[in-house]
């Protein structure tokens, strides 16, 4: 047994290789080693891959190896017709006959903005009230408040918003004045009427007043406009001429009579510069209520008479209001500057 173990394990002296001997030819061996290193070089390259914690047993092939045929669905095309042009004058823009706003029919944004402005013009601007209002009179239907030029900016901004509505029918650039007193008629949280009054020193009395403007307008309303017809073969399109928004120059032409005044001026205190009521609230005595509020509050500790109110050059409708309110055709007028 001992012999077998000794045979299996050899002594370290027998396993060590003989030491290398260096002779005179050592320089040739080194040169051969350098030559082999230059012409026979082995380079080991390694590729680093990202570690995947959850390897997929069924890997997805690359897109280049998969040929997928896309199925094109047969979508039904839709067409929408917006306008039909037959040579009409208001093809692009149409002016509202009531509020005078130009808008594009078929444009959602234009029609929405026109509807909002049209509602404010016909029914009144929304007004929730102020904490420090100067109330002149009030009843079940609403109240009348007074706004002065020295009030805070929020009050004056609301007045400017109302004046812009008035300028659509009465003309622009002359209603607002620095020393004016503005009376607002409020009903159901909307401003339905406005009166602008100013202090004056003199006025002129009218010699004659024509109140036939309503009969003339009624006869004009009775006459129907002749429609124009556009024919294309068996098809016929009827179009009626739309009314323009009424301004001050048009109303003077409608009346047909000039205002004749006396040459001698008369002493006056209060001048009605402008008065306006929303179209949907007319014929409800709102203008008369505004005039009553002016008579009672314009002068401190003094109530004016109906005939003491002077009106700036009125329109045909203003003439009828002045004659009806003062009870005479010889009411006072003045020129608003």
């Amino acid at each position: 047994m001992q012999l077998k173990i000794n045979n299996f394990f050899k002594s370290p002296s027998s396993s060590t290789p003989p030491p290398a001997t260096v002779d005179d030819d050592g320089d040739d061996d080194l040169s051969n080693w350098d030559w082999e290193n230059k012409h026979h070089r082995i380079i080991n390259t390694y590729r680093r891959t990202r570690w995947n914690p959850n390897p997929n047993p069924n890997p997805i092939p690359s897109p280049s190896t998969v040929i997928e045929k896309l199925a094109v669905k047969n979508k039904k095309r839709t067409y929408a017709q917006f306008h039909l042009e037959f040579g009409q004058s208001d093809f692009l823009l149409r002016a509202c006959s009531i509020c005078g706003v130009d808008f594009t029919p078929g444009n959602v944004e234009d029609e929405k903005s026109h509807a909002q402005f049209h509602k404010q013009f016909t029914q009144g601007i929304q007004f929730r009230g102020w904490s420090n209002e100067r109330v002149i009179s009030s009843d079940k239907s609403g109240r009348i408040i007074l706004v002065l030029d020295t009030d805070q900016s929020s009050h004056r901004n609301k007045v400017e918003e109302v004046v812009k509505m008035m300028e659509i029918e009465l003309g622009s650039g002359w209603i607002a004045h620095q020393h004016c007193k503005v009376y607002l008629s409020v009903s159901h949280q909307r401003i339905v009427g406005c009166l602008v009054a100013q202090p004056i020193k003199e006025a002129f009395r009218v010699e004659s007043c024509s109140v036939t403007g309503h009969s003339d307008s009624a006869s004009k309303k009775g006459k129907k406009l002749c429609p124009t017809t556009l024919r294309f073969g068996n098809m016929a399109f009827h179009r009626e001429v739309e009314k323009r928004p009424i301004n001050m120059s048009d109303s003077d032409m409608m009346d047909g009579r000039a205002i004749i005044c006396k040459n001698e001026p008369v002493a006056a205190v209060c001048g009605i510069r402008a008065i306006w009521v929303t179209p949907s609230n007319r014929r409800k005595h709102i203008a008369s209520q505004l005039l009553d509020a002016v008579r009672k509050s314009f002068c401190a500790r003094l109530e004016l008479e109906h005939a003491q109110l002077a009106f700036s050059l009125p329109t045909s409708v203003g003439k009828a209001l002045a004659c009806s309110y003062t009870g005479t055709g010889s009411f006072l007028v003045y020129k608003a500057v």
Side-chain angles (χ1 to χ4, degrees):
M1 179 64 67
Q2 185 66 25
L3 294 174
K4 293 181 179 180
I5 294 175
N6 291 333
N7 292 331
F8 182 78
F9 296 100
K10 294 181 181 180
S11 61
S13 61
S14 61
S15 60
T16 56
T21 59
V22 179
D23 53 3
D24 296 337
D25 298 333
D27 294 336
D28 296 336
D29 295 337
L30 292 175
S31 61
N32 293 333
W33 177 261
D34 293 338
W35 182 86
E36 291 180 357
N37 288 338
K38 291 180 180 179
H39 292 80
H40 302 280
R41 183 175 297 178
I42 301 174
I43 300 175
N44 296 327
T45 58
Y46 301 92
R47 183 179 180 183
R48 186 176 181 181
T49 58
R50 183 177 294 180
W51 177 71
N52 188 7
N54 298 320
N56 190 0
N58 299 321
I60 300 175
S62 61
S64 60
T65 59
V66 179
I67 300 175
E68 183 179 359
K69 186 177 181 181
L70 299 177
V72 179
K73 297 182 179 179
N74 186 13
K75 295 183 178 180
K76 187 177 181 181
R77 296 182 180 179
T78 57
Y79 299 93
Q81 179 69 47
F82 291 100
H83 304 283
L84 289 174
E85 182 179 3
F86 295 111
Q88 57 268 37
S89 59
D90 57 348
F91 177 68
L92 295 178
L93 290 177
R94 179 178 299 175
C96 181
S97 60
I98 299 176
C99 65
V101 172
D102 295 334
F103 66 99
T104 304
N107 192 328
V108 179
E109 294 182 358
D110 274 14
E111 290 183 349
K112 184 178 179 179
S113 60
H114 167 251
Q116 294 176 355
F117 185 85
H118 188 89
K119 185 177 181 179
Q120 290 183 353
F121 179 79
T122 56
Q123 300 182 11
I125 298 175
Q126 289 185 352
F127 179 70
R128 296 182 179 180
W130 299 316
S131 58
N132 53 346
E133 292 181 351
R134 194 180 289 105
V135 181
I136 303 301
S137 62
S138 61
D139 54 11
K140 296 180 179 179
S141 60
R143 65 189 185 278
I144 296 176
I145 60 178
L146 173 62
V147 181
L148 301 178
D149 186 66
T150 57
D151 289 350
Q152 53 188 355
S153 60
S154 60
H155 296 191
R156 289 184 277 110
N157 291 338
K158 181 61 67 173
V159 171
E160 292 179 359
E161 189 176 354
V162 178
V163 169
K164 289 181 181 179
M165 294 291 181
M166 300 173 63
E167 290 177 345
I168 296 176
E169 287 188 310
L170 303 180
S172 60
W174 67 276
I175 297 177
H177 194 270
Q178 184 178 2
H179 302 289
C180 289
K181 296 182 178 181
V182 181
Y183 295 81
L184 301 177
S185 177
V186 182
S187 177
H188 302 290
Q189 295 185 351
R190 287 186 178 274
I191 299 176
V192 298
C194 178
L195 186 147
V196 181
Q198 67 176 135
I200 59 175
K201 295 181 179 180
E202 62 180 13
F204 297 89
R205 192 169 296 279
V206 177
E207 290 187 353
S208 62
C209 177
S210 174
V211 292
T212 60
H214 290 287
S215 61
D216 295 339
S217 61
S219 61
K220 290 182 179 180
K221 289 182 180 179
K223 297 180 180 179
K224 295 183 179 180
L225 298 175
C226 297
T228 57
T229 305
L230 297 175
R231 294 187 176 276
F232 296 91
N234 296 329
M235 300 177 64
F237 297 89
H238 299 279
R239 182 183 64 183
E240 293 185 357
V241 180
E242 295 183 354
K243 296 181 180 179
R244 295 179 301 159
I246 300 175
N247 53 36
M248 188 166 55
S249 60
D250 292 337
S251 58
D252 291 339
M253 294 172 60
M254 288 169 56
D255 185 68
R257 295 189 182 184
I259 299 177
I260 303 174
C261 304
K262 296 181 179 181
N263 295 329
E264 297 80 10
V266 179
V269 178
C270 178
I272 308 301
R273 190 177 181 90
I275 183 170
W276 179 78
V277 180
T278 56
S280 63
N281 292 283
R282 293 170 184 174
R283 303 292 181 182
K284 296 181 181 180
H285 306 287
I286 295 177
S288 300
Q289 294 174 4
L290 288 170
L291 292 172
D292 290 339
V294 173
R295 288 192 307 104
K296 297 176 182 179
S297 64
F298 189 82
C299 297
R301 298 182 299 275
L302 177 63
E303 182 175 346
L304 301 175
E305 299 293 334
H306 290 73
Q308 291 180 333
L309 297 178
F311 297 84
S312 64
L313 300 176
T315 62
S316 58
V317 180
K319 287 181 184 180
L321 174 63
C323 292
S324 176
Y325 185 78
T326 59
T328 177
S330 300
F331 58 90
L332 297 177
V333 295
Y334 75 102
K335 186 176 181 180
V337 180

